[in-house]
């Protein structure tokens, strides 16, 4: 089983435009979709779509639309009532997959609620193979929250503790390195930002990372050498890089028609975990991650693909050697 924690879930509204976004103008939407979201929630949704056992842990009151959406799509969840409405996010998608997002900050969680959320996570994680700690942190939650969660899980379960995957950004992602995650999943923006925050050698801009798998692998390798188990760096339409203690690989998918990139990275993480649960090696995990991400980008809104909607055979793997 795979447990996900989304500390700052959201109700995601995706507005599809028929042409380019025109600032200051009135435009009519071609279509509108609404789904329960947040990085961990999206991972659980993708796992459910492929028939894997998962539980999404999150804050939220019983009547909140986010929880209603999970119930409607049969995604198992364990929620902590907080007496506040969860946030709403709006995404505008243009033809060709160009995406603009406006994310609300979310409700503030006090120290007692944070402790209760961690306790709920530990309760749900017994027997889990992986725990995914994902997304931004709501107001009031310290940047070390994911490290605290990882430490609590390992203290509770010892040698039987689940593996920890972290997908976040900014200060929470940098602080999470203290939790010695088994897997880190940044995109190019997050990898460049993380390198600057933790004092890695200059890795270049996000665009340079996407253009150079070797450059992305060098940055990821520094994180593995610092104690991270593996780094899955997604590079947008270019593909992804996986670095472990045993090697580094780059994967690229054959061209697709992008519809919406919302949640593509979350689907990539779900594909990686799905392959890991199935016993795949590093190349197999990377292959399924990229296949999942490409399938998600070809679907509208934040729709997540099932494994039978992915095409791993369309993914090419290249081993990367250390400079």
């Amino acid at each position: 089983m795979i447990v996900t924690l989304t500390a700052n879930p959201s109700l995601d509204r995706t507005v599809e435009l028929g042409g380019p976004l025109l600032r200051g103008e009135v435009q009519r939407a071609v279509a509108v979709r609404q789904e329960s979201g947040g990085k961990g929630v999206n991972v659980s949704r993708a796992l459910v779509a492929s028939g894997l056992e998962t539980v999404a842990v999150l804050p939220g009151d019983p009547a909140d639309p986010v929880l209603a959406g999970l119930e409607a799509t049969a995604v198992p969840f364990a929620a902590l009532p907080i007496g506040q409405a969860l946030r709403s996010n709006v995404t505008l998608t243009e033809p060709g997959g160009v995406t603009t997002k406006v994310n609300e900050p979310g409700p503030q969680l006090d120290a007692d609620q944070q402790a209760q959320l961690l306790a709920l996570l530990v309760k749900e994680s017994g027997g889990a193979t992986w725990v995914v700690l994902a997304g931004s942190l709501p107001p009031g939650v310290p940047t070390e929250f994911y490290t605290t969660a990882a430490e609590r899980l390992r203290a509770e379960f010892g040698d039987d503790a689940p593996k920890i995957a972290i997908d976040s950004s900014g200060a929470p992602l940098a602080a999470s390195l203290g939790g010695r995650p088994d897997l880190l999943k940044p995109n190019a923006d997050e990898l460049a930002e993380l390198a600057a925050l933790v004092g890695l050698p200059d890795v270049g801009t996000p665009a340079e990372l996407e253009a150079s798998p070797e450059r992305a692998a060098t940055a990821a390798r520094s994180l593995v050498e610092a104690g991270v188990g593996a780094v899955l760096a997604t590079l947008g339409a270019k593909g992804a890089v996986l670095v472990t203690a045993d090697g580094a690989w780059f994967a690229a998918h054959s061209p697709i028609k992008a519809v919406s990139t919302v949640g593509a990275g979350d689907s990539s993480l779900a594909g990686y975990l799905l392959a890991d649960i199935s016993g795949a090696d590093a190349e197999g995990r990377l292959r399924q991650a990229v296949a999942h991400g490409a399938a998600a980008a070809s679907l509208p809104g934040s729709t997540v693909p099932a494994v039978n909607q992915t095409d791993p055979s369309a993914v090419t793997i290249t081993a990367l050697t250390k400079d």
Side-chain angles (χ1 to χ4, degrees):
M1 182 177 68
I2 297 172
V3 176
T4 66
L5 171 66
T6 307
N8 203 13
S10 58
L11 186 67
D12 289 347
R13 288 177 56 82
T14 302
V15 179
E16 182 182 344
L17 301 177
L21 175 64
L22 303 175
R23 294 182 61 191
E25 301 293 334
V26 175
Q27 291 178 261
R28 295 189 181 278
V30 174
V32 178
R33 300 178 63 89
Q34 179 171 290
E35 289 151 326
S36 300
K39 284 183 175 295
V41 166
N42 290 340
V43 171
S44 283
R45 289 173 52 226
L47 294 173
V48 166
S50 295
L52 266 70
E53 185 180 3
T54 183
V55 174
V57 177
L58 69 164
D61 294 347
D64 195 281
V66 174
L67 301 193
L70 293 177
E71 289 179 343
T73 53
V75 176
F77 65 88
L80 173 72
I82 58 173
Q84 303 175 73
L86 297 174
R87 63 181 177 152
S88 295
N89 295 336
V90 177
T91 299
L92 303 176
T93 64
E94 304 171 45
V98 176
T99 300
T100 302
K101 299 189 69 176
V102 181
N103 291 349
E104 295 182 6
Q108 183 158 334
L109 301 185
D110 62 29
D112 185 55
Q113 290 168 328
Q114 294 169 36
Q116 291 182 60
L117 188 60
L118 287 176
L120 181 60
L121 174 67
V122 171
K123 177 184 175 182
E124 296 294 331
S125 297
T129 303
W130 281 92
V131 168
V132 178
L133 310 174
S136 64
L137 296 175
V141 177
T143 56
E144 298 81 11
F145 187 74
Y146 288 145
T147 290
T148 301
E151 291 172 345
R152 284 283 302 277
L153 289 166
R154 290 173 178 141
E156 178 72 20
F157 299 111
D159 292 341
D160 295 323
K163 290 181 281 189
I164 306 295
I166 296 179
D167 183 3
S168 189
S169 60
L173 179 60
S176 75
L177 299 182
R180 297 175 292 108
D182 299 281
L183 175 67
L184 212 62
K185 199 228 70 71
N187 60 27
D189 288 316
E190 293 157 352
L191 184 57
E193 182 182 37
L194 177 61
L197 287 172
V198 301
L200 295 181
D202 180 27
V203 300
T205 66
E208 289 172 331
L209 289 173
E210 289 188 354
S212 172
E214 293 80 8
R215 185 187 288 266
T218 296
R221 192 176 288 112
S222 296
L223 296 171
V224 171
E225 291 171 351
V228 175
V231 176
L232 172 65
T234 52
L235 306 177
K238 300 296 185 181
V241 163
L242 175 64
V243 176
T244 73
D246 298 320
W249 302 266
F250 168 64
H253 197 284
S254 59
I256 63 165
K257 181 180 179 181
V259 176
S260 172
T261 59
V262 180
D266 306 328
S267 289
S268 292
L269 177 53
Y272 181 99
L273 298 176
L274 185 155
D276 181 76
I277 292 288
S278 300
D281 61 10
E283 291 189 33
R285 298 194 299 272
L286 176 60
R287 184 182 302 277
Q288 191 58 54
V290 171
H292 251 77
S298 68
L299 296 172
S302 56
T303 305
V304 294
V307 66
N308 61 8
Q309 294 175 287
T310 70
D311 184 8
S313 67
V315 179
T316 301
I317 304 285
T318 303
L320 301 175
T321 58
K322 188 174 181 180
D323 293 336

